[in-house]
Amino acid sequence: MTAAPILPERHEWTVDDLGDLPKDLPYELINGRLIVPSPTALHQDLCVRLLLAVEVNCPSDHLVSFDLSMRVDRRNEPRPDVVAIHRRHAGRSPVPVEDALLAVEVVSPTSTFRDMYDKAKVYAHAGVRSYWVVDPLQERITLTEYVLGPGGRDYEQLTHTEDLFVTEQPWKVSVDLPALTARKNDLLAPDGR
Protein backbone atom coordinates (compact mmCIF):
# COMPACT_ATOMS: atom_id res chain seq x y z
CA MET A 1 0.00 0.00 0.00
CA THR A 2 1.40 3.39 -0.96
CA ALA A 3 0.93 6.45 1.17
CA ALA A 4 -1.03 9.41 -0.18
CA PRO A 5 1.29 12.19 -1.29
CA ILE A 6 1.68 15.16 1.00
CA LEU A 7 1.00 18.28 -1.01
CA PRO A 8 2.63 21.62 -0.27
CA GLU A 9 0.28 24.05 1.45
CA ARG A 10 -0.60 27.10 -0.60
CA HIS A 11 -3.51 29.49 -0.48
CA GLU A 12 -3.17 30.29 -4.16
CA TRP A 13 -1.77 27.92 -6.79
CA THR A 14 -0.44 28.78 -10.24
CA VAL A 15 0.51 26.57 -13.17
CA ASP A 16 4.15 27.14 -12.19
CA ASP A 17 3.45 25.37 -8.87
CA LEU A 18 2.11 22.27 -10.61
CA GLY A 19 5.67 21.14 -11.33
CA ASP A 20 6.04 20.46 -7.59
CA LEU A 21 3.28 17.82 -7.70
CA PRO A 22 3.77 14.09 -8.28
CA LYS A 23 3.65 13.46 -12.05
CA ASP A 24 1.01 10.71 -11.78
CA LEU A 25 -1.40 12.79 -9.70
CA PRO A 26 -4.60 13.83 -11.51
CA TYR A 27 -5.28 17.46 -10.68
CA GLU A 28 -7.09 20.54 -11.87
CA LEU A 29 -6.35 24.16 -11.20
CA ILE A 30 -9.44 26.37 -11.16
CA ASN A 31 -9.11 30.05 -10.20
CA GLY A 32 -5.92 29.34 -8.26
CA ARG A 33 -7.49 26.45 -6.33
CA LEU A 34 -5.94 22.98 -6.59
CA ILE A 35 -8.48 20.17 -7.03
CA VAL A 36 -7.54 16.49 -6.88
CA PRO A 37 -10.62 14.61 -8.12
CA SER A 38 -11.53 11.07 -7.17
CA PRO A 39 -14.30 10.06 -9.59
CA THR A 40 -16.62 7.10 -9.11
CA ALA A 41 -16.92 4.22 -11.56
CA LEU A 42 -20.39 5.53 -12.51
CA HIS A 43 -18.92 8.95 -13.33
CA GLN A 44 -16.19 7.40 -15.48
CA ASP A 45 -18.66 5.09 -17.24
CA LEU A 46 -20.79 8.09 -18.15
CA CYS A 47 -17.71 9.99 -19.42
CA VAL A 48 -16.77 7.11 -21.71
CA ARG A 49 -20.31 6.89 -23.13
CA LEU A 50 -20.33 10.66 -23.76
CA LEU A 51 -16.92 10.46 -25.42
CA LEU A 52 -18.19 7.71 -27.74
CA ALA A 53 -21.30 9.74 -28.63
CA VAL A 54 -19.23 12.82 -29.48
CA GLU A 55 -16.70 10.74 -31.40
CA VAL A 56 -19.21 9.18 -33.85
CA ASN A 57 -19.15 12.05 -36.38
CA CYS A 58 -15.83 13.59 -35.36
CA PRO A 59 -14.01 14.94 -38.45
CA SER A 60 -10.58 13.44 -39.16
CA ASP A 61 -8.72 16.64 -38.23
CA HIS A 62 -10.08 16.56 -34.66
CA LEU A 63 -10.17 14.03 -31.84
CA VAL A 64 -12.21 13.48 -28.71
CA SER A 65 -10.48 12.70 -25.42
CA PHE A 66 -11.24 12.63 -21.72
CA ASP A 67 -9.51 13.91 -18.60
CA LEU A 68 -7.06 16.02 -20.59
CA SER A 69 -5.29 19.03 -19.05
CA MET A 70 -6.08 22.33 -20.80
CA ARG A 71 -3.70 25.27 -20.30
CA VAL A 72 -5.77 28.45 -19.90
CA ASP A 73 -3.71 30.93 -17.88
CA ARG A 74 -1.52 31.12 -14.76
CA ARG A 75 -4.44 30.32 -12.42
CA ASN A 76 -6.35 27.79 -14.51
CA GLU A 77 -5.55 24.36 -15.89
CA PRO A 78 -8.85 22.44 -15.93
CA ARG A 79 -9.31 18.81 -17.00
CA PRO A 80 -12.66 18.53 -18.80
CA ASP A 81 -14.30 15.14 -18.47
CA VAL A 82 -14.61 15.06 -22.28
CA VAL A 83 -13.02 17.48 -24.74
CA ALA A 84 -12.90 17.88 -28.52
CA ILE A 85 -9.58 19.27 -29.75
CA HIS A 86 -7.58 19.65 -32.94
CA ARG A 87 -5.71 16.45 -33.83
CA ARG A 88 -2.32 18.24 -33.96
CA HIS A 89 -2.35 18.22 -30.12
CA ALA A 90 -2.63 14.43 -29.81
CA GLY A 91 0.82 14.19 -28.21
CA ARG A 92 0.63 17.28 -25.96
CA SER A 93 -0.29 17.87 -22.36
CA PRO A 94 -1.48 20.33 -21.36
CA VAL A 95 -3.34 21.25 -24.55
CA PRO A 96 -3.81 24.96 -25.37
CA VAL A 97 -7.43 25.79 -24.64
CA GLU A 98 -7.74 27.92 -27.80
CA ASP A 99 -8.06 24.75 -29.87
CA ALA A 100 -10.85 23.18 -27.81
CA LEU A 101 -14.16 23.14 -29.68
CA LEU A 102 -16.15 21.49 -26.88
CA ALA A 103 -15.66 20.89 -23.17
CA VAL A 104 -17.98 18.55 -21.25
CA GLU A 105 -18.20 18.28 -17.48
CA VAL A 106 -20.10 15.55 -15.63
CA VAL A 107 -21.33 16.84 -12.29
CA SER A 108 -20.40 14.98 -9.10
CA PRO A 109 -21.64 15.71 -5.59
CA THR A 110 -18.52 17.81 -4.86
CA SER A 111 -18.29 19.60 -8.22
CA THR A 112 -21.75 21.06 -8.90
CA PHE A 113 -20.94 24.72 -8.29
CA ARG A 114 -17.49 24.42 -9.86
CA ASP A 115 -18.89 22.78 -13.05
CA MET A 116 -21.93 25.05 -13.37
CA TYR A 117 -20.23 28.38 -12.62
CA ASP A 118 -16.47 28.43 -12.11
CA LYS A 119 -15.50 26.26 -15.07
CA ALA A 120 -18.18 27.83 -17.27
CA LYS A 121 -16.55 31.23 -16.75
CA VAL A 122 -13.04 29.85 -17.29
CA TYR A 123 -14.00 28.07 -20.52
CA ALA A 124 -16.06 31.00 -21.84
CA HIS A 125 -13.31 33.56 -21.19
CA ALA A 126 -10.85 31.20 -22.90
CA GLY A 127 -13.09 31.02 -25.99
CA VAL A 128 -14.27 27.39 -25.85
CA ARG A 129 -17.23 27.59 -28.24
CA SER A 130 -19.45 24.88 -26.73
CA TYR A 131 -19.76 23.72 -23.11
CA TRP A 132 -21.99 20.93 -21.84
CA VAL A 133 -22.84 20.14 -18.25
CA VAL A 134 -24.21 16.64 -17.72
CA ASP A 135 -25.94 16.09 -14.38
CA PRO A 136 -26.38 12.47 -13.26
CA LEU A 137 -27.32 13.50 -9.71
CA GLN A 138 -30.96 14.12 -10.65
CA GLU A 139 -33.52 11.32 -11.00
CA ARG A 140 -33.09 11.59 -14.78
CA ILE A 141 -29.74 12.57 -16.27
CA THR A 142 -29.85 16.05 -17.79
CA LEU A 143 -27.63 17.77 -20.31
CA THR A 144 -27.32 21.55 -20.55
CA GLU A 145 -25.69 22.94 -23.68
CA TYR A 146 -24.06 26.36 -23.60
CA VAL A 147 -22.61 28.30 -26.54
CA LEU A 148 -20.56 31.48 -26.58
CA GLY A 149 -22.79 34.52 -26.84
CA PRO A 150 -22.14 37.76 -28.70
CA GLY A 151 -18.78 39.15 -27.68
CA GLY A 152 -17.47 35.65 -27.00
CA ARG A 153 -16.86 36.07 -23.26
CA ASP A 154 -19.97 34.49 -21.70
CA TYR A 155 -22.13 31.45 -22.37
CA GLU A 156 -25.77 31.45 -23.30
CA GLN A 157 -27.86 28.39 -22.51
CA LEU A 158 -29.04 26.80 -25.74
CA THR A 159 -30.59 23.53 -24.52
CA HIS A 160 -31.50 21.82 -21.26
CA THR A 161 -32.98 18.35 -21.63
CA GLU A 162 -33.40 14.92 -20.11
CA ASP A 163 -34.56 13.43 -23.44
CA LEU A 164 -32.71 12.72 -26.67
CA PHE A 165 -30.14 15.50 -27.13
CA VAL A 166 -29.15 16.41 -30.70
CA THR A 167 -26.82 19.24 -31.70
CA GLU A 168 -24.75 20.39 -34.65
CA GLN A 169 -21.97 21.85 -32.46
CA PRO A 170 -19.12 21.15 -32.79
CA TRP A 171 -20.51 18.62 -35.33
CA LYS A 172 -23.62 16.44 -35.38
CA VAL A 173 -23.89 14.67 -32.03
CA SER A 174 -26.77 12.82 -30.41
CA VAL A 175 -26.86 11.63 -26.82
CA ASP A 176 -29.63 9.28 -25.65
CA LEU A 177 -30.11 10.62 -22.12
CA PRO A 178 -32.97 8.19 -21.24
CA ALA A 179 -30.62 5.29 -22.12
CA LEU A 180 -27.91 6.81 -19.92
CA THR A 181 -30.44 7.19 -17.09
CA ALA A 182 -31.46 3.53 -17.47
CA ARG A 183 -27.78 2.49 -17.36
CA LYS A 184 -27.20 4.62 -14.25
CA ASN A 185 -30.22 3.07 -12.52
CA ASP A 186 -29.07 -0.42 -13.48
CA LEU A 187 -25.55 0.18 -12.18
CA LEU A 188 -26.86 1.62 -8.91
CA ALA A 189 -29.53 -1.04 -8.36
CA PRO A 190 -29.04 -2.64 -4.94
CA ASP A 191 -29.73 -6.16 -6.23
CA GLY A 192 -27.09 -5.84 -8.97
CA ARG A 193 -29.58 -6.71 -11.71
Side-chain angles (χ1 to χ4, degrees), residues 57-189:
N57 293 311
C58 180
S60 62
D61 60 340
H62 286 80
L63 68 96
V64 183
S65 188
F66 62 95
D67 195 34
L68 186 63
S69 290
M70 306 285 297
R71 178 67 53 93
V72 176
D73 57 33
R74 291 193 76 243
R75 298 181 68 236
N76 290 286
E77 191 173 298
R79 295 173 79 110
D81 290 318
V82 177
V83 64
I85 61 171
H86 199 279
R87 187 178 206 99
R88 70 177 164 260
H89 299 302
R92 275 183 86 170
S93 182
V95 171
V97 73
E98 308 76 69
D99 284 342
L101 298 177
L102 168 69
V104 181
E105 294 291 353
V106 177
V107 173
S108 66
T110 60
S111 75
T112 303
F113 184 85
R114 189 169 53 247
D115 291 342
M116 295 294 294
Y117 302 102
D118 290 342
K119 287 186 181 180
K121 287 183 181 189
V122 168
Y123 293 138
H125 286 213
V128 178
R129 291 182 249 169
S130 296
Y131 179 53
W132 302 352
V133 177
V134 178
D135 188 349
L137 304 179
Q138 307 304 314
E139 185 176 326
R140 297 179 63 177
I141 294 176
T142 63
L143 188 152
T144 306
E145 177 187 25
Y146 299 94
V147 294
L148 282 177
R153 299 291 287 167
D154 293 300
Y155 284 125
E156 294 179 348
Q157 182 177 315
L158 194 60
T159 308
H160 176 81
T161 187
E162 58 189 30
D163 297 314
L164 179 65
F165 168 72
V166 178
T167 187
E168 296 291 329
Q169 297 300 322
W171 43 76
K172 187 168 179 91
V173 179
S174 63
V175 179
D176 187 343
L177 294 166
L180 292 179
T181 296
R183 174 137 177 103
K184 173 188 86 165
N185 292 341
D186 186 48
L187 291 173
L188 294 178

